[in-house]
Coordinates of all heavy atoms in Angstrom, one line a residue:
Q263 N -55.9 -107.4 25.7 CA -54.9 -106.4 25.8 C -54.0 -106.2 24.5 O -53.6 -105.1 24.2 CB -53.9 -106.8 27.0 CG -52.8 -105.8 27.3 CD -53.4 -104.6 28.0 OE1 -54.5 -104.6 28.5 NE2 -52.7 -103.5 27.9
L264 N -53.8 -107.3 23.8 CA -53.1 -107.3 22.6 C -53.9 -106.5 21.5 O -53.4 -105.8 20.6 CB -52.8 -108.7 22.1 CG -51.8 -109.4 22.9 CD1 -51.5 -110.8 22.3 CD2 -50.5 -108.7 23.1
G265 N -55.3 -106.6 21.6 CA -56.1 -105.8 20.7 C -56.0 -104.4 21.0 O -56.0 -103.5 20.1
A266 N -55.9 -104.0 22.3 CA -55.7 -102.6 22.6 C -54.3 -102.1 22.2 O -54.1 -101.0 21.7 CB -55.8 -102.4 24.1
L267 N -53.3 -103.0 22.3 CA -52.0 -102.6 21.8 C -51.9 -102.4 20.3 O -51.1 -101.5 19.9 CB -51.0 -103.8 22.2 CG -49.5 -103.6 21.8 CD1 -48.9 -102.4 22.5 CD2 -48.7 -104.8 22.2
R268 N -52.7 -103.1 19.6 CA -52.8 -102.9 18.2 C -53.2 -101.5 17.8 O -52.7 -100.9 16.8 CB -53.7 -103.9 17.5 CG -53.8 -103.9 16.0 CD -54.7 -105.0 15.5 NE -56.0 -105.0 16.2 CZ -56.9 -106.0 15.9 NH1 -56.7 -107.0 15.1 NH2 -58.1 -105.9 16.6
Q269 N -54.0 -100.9 18.6 CA -54.5 -99.5 18.3 C -53.4 -98.5 18.6 O -53.5 -97.4 18.1 CB -55.7 -99.2 19.2 CG -56.9 -100.2 19.0 CD -57.4 -100.3 17.6 OE1 -57.4 -99.2 16.9 NE2 -57.8 -101.4 17.1
Q270 N -52.4 -98.9 19.4 CA -51.3 -97.9 19.7 C -50.2 -97.9 18.8 O -49.3 -97.1 18.9 CB -50.8 -98.3 21.1 CG -51.8 -98.3 22.2 CD -51.3 -98.8 23.6 OE1 -50.1 -99.0 23.7 NE2 -52.2 -98.9 24.6
I271 N -50.2 -98.9 17.8 CA -49.1 -99.0 16.8 C -49.5 -98.3 15.5 O -50.5 -98.9 14.9 CB -48.6 -100.4 16.7 CG1 -48.2 -101.0 18.0 CG2 -47.5 -100.5 15.6 CD1 -47.8 -102.4 18.0
P272 N -49.0 -97.2 15.1 CA -49.4 -96.6 13.8 C -49.3 -97.5 12.6 O -50.2 -97.6 11.8 CB -48.5 -95.4 13.7 CG -48.0 -95.2 15.1 CD -47.9 -96.5 15.7
K273 N -48.1 -98.1 12.5 CA -47.9 -99.0 11.3 C -48.0 -100.4 11.7 O -47.0 -101.1 12.0 CB -46.6 -98.7 10.7 CG -46.5 -97.2 10.1 CD -45.1 -97.0 9.5 CE -45.0 -95.6 8.9 NZ -43.7 -95.3 8.3
I274 N -49.2 -100.9 11.8 CA -49.4 -102.3 12.3 C -48.8 -103.3 11.3 O -48.5 -104.5 11.7 CB -50.9 -102.6 12.6 CG1 -51.1 -103.9 13.4 CG2 -51.7 -102.6 11.3 CD1 -50.5 -103.9 14.7
Q275 N -48.7 -102.9 10.0 CA -48.1 -103.8 9.0 C -46.7 -104.2 9.4 O -46.2 -105.3 9.0 CB -48.2 -103.2 7.6 CG -49.6 -103.0 7.1 CD -50.2 -101.7 7.6 OE1 -49.5 -100.9 8.4 NE2 -51.4 -101.4 7.2
A276 N -46.0 -103.3 10.1 CA -44.6 -103.6 10.5 C -44.5 -104.6 11.7 O -43.4 -104.9 12.1 CB -43.9 -102.3 10.8
F277 N -45.7 -105.0 12.2 CA -45.7 -105.8 13.4 C -46.7 -107.0 13.2 O -47.7 -107.1 13.9 CB -46.1 -105.0 14.7 CG -45.8 -105.7 16.0 CD1 -44.9 -106.7 16.1 CD2 -46.5 -105.3 17.1 CE1 -44.6 -107.3 17.3 CE2 -46.3 -105.9 18.3 CZ -45.3 -106.9 18.4
P278 N -46.4 -107.9 12.2 CA -47.3 -109.0 11.9 C -47.4 -110.0 13.1 O -48.3 -110.8 13.2 CB -46.8 -109.6 10.7 CG -45.3 -109.2 10.7 CD -45.2 -107.9 11.3
E279 N -46.4 -110.0 13.9 CA -46.3 -111.0 15.0 C -47.5 -110.8 16.0 O -47.9 -111.7 16.7 CB -45.0 -110.9 15.8 CG -43.8 -111.3 15.0 CD -43.2 -110.2 14.1 OE1 -43.8 -109.1 14.1 OE2 -42.2 -110.4 13.4
L280 N -48.0 -109.5 16.1 CA -49.1 -109.2 17.0 C -50.3 -110.0 16.6 O -51.0 -110.7 17.5 CB -49.3 -107.7 17.1 CG -50.4 -107.3 18.0 CD1 -50.1 -107.7 19.4 CD2 -50.6 -105.8 17.9
E281 N -50.8 -109.9 15.4 CA -52.0 -110.6 15.0 C -51.8 -112.1 15.0 O -52.7 -112.8 15.4 CB -52.4 -110.1 13.6 CG -53.8 -110.6 13.1 CD -54.9 -110.1 14.1 OE1 -54.7 -109.0 14.6 OE2 -55.9 -110.8 14.2
R282 N -50.6 -112.5 14.7 CA -50.3 -114.0 14.8 C -50.4 -114.5 16.2 O -50.9 -115.6 16.5 CB -48.9 -114.3 14.2 CG -48.6 -115.7 14.0 CD -47.2 -115.9 13.4 NE -47.1 -115.2 12.2 CZ -46.1 -114.3 12.0 NH1 -45.2 -114.0 12.9 NH2 -46.0 -113.6 10.8
A283 N -50.0 -113.6 17.1 CA -50.0 -114.0 18.6 C -51.5 -114.1 19.0 O -51.9 -115.0 19.8 CB -49.3 -113.0 19.4
R284 N -52.3 -113.2 18.6 CA -53.7 -113.2 18.9 C -54.4 -114.5 18.4 O -55.3 -115.1 19.0 CB -54.4 -112.0 18.5 CG -53.9 -110.7 19.1 CD -54.7 -109.5 18.6 NE -55.9 -109.3 19.4 CZ -57.1 -109.1 18.9 NH1 -57.3 -109.2 17.6 NH2 -58.1 -109.0 19.7
Q285 N -54.0 -114.9 17.2 CA -54.6 -116.1 16.6 C -54.1 -117.3 17.4 O -54.9 -118.3 17.6 CB -54.2 -116.2 15.1 CG -54.8 -115.1 14.2 CD -54.3 -115.2 12.8 OE1 -53.5 -116.0 12.5 NE2 -54.8 -114.3 12.0
N286 N -52.9 -117.3 17.8 CA -52.3 -118.5 18.6 C -53.1 -118.6 19.9 O -53.3 -119.7 20.4 CB -50.8 -118.3 18.8 CG -50.0 -118.5 17.5 OD1 -50.5 -119.1 16.5 ND2 -48.8 -117.9 17.5
I287 N -53.3 -117.4 20.5 CA -54.1 -117.4 21.8 C -55.4 -118.0 21.6 O -55.9 -118.8 22.5 CB -54.1 -116.0 22.4 CG1 -52.8 -115.5 22.8 CG2 -55.1 -115.9 23.5 CD1 -52.7 -114.1 23.3
Q288 N -56.1 -117.7 20.5 CA -57.4 -118.3 20.3 C -57.3 -119.8 20.1 O -58.2 -120.5 20.6 CB -58.1 -117.7 19.0 CG -58.5 -116.2 19.2 CD -59.7 -116.1 20.2 OE1 -59.5 -116.2 21.4 NE2 -60.9 -115.9 19.6

């Protein structure tokens, strides 16, 4: 779901917490 959310954010660079959260989940 977080991967799908990443596609909805135009400027993903402004939201580095998202990718960090996905790494933490792994």
Side-chain angles (χ1 to χ4, degrees):
Q263 185 70 21
L264 294 182
L267 179 61
R268 183 175 54 184
Q269 305 299 326
Q270 301 174 7
I271 300 177
K273 297 180 180 180
I274 193 62
Q275 296 82 1
F277 195 23
E279 294 84 0
L280 180 60
E281 190 60 31
R282 192 179 305 124
R284 298 183 82 233
Q285 294 175 358
N286 291 337
I287 288 175
Q288 289 291 76

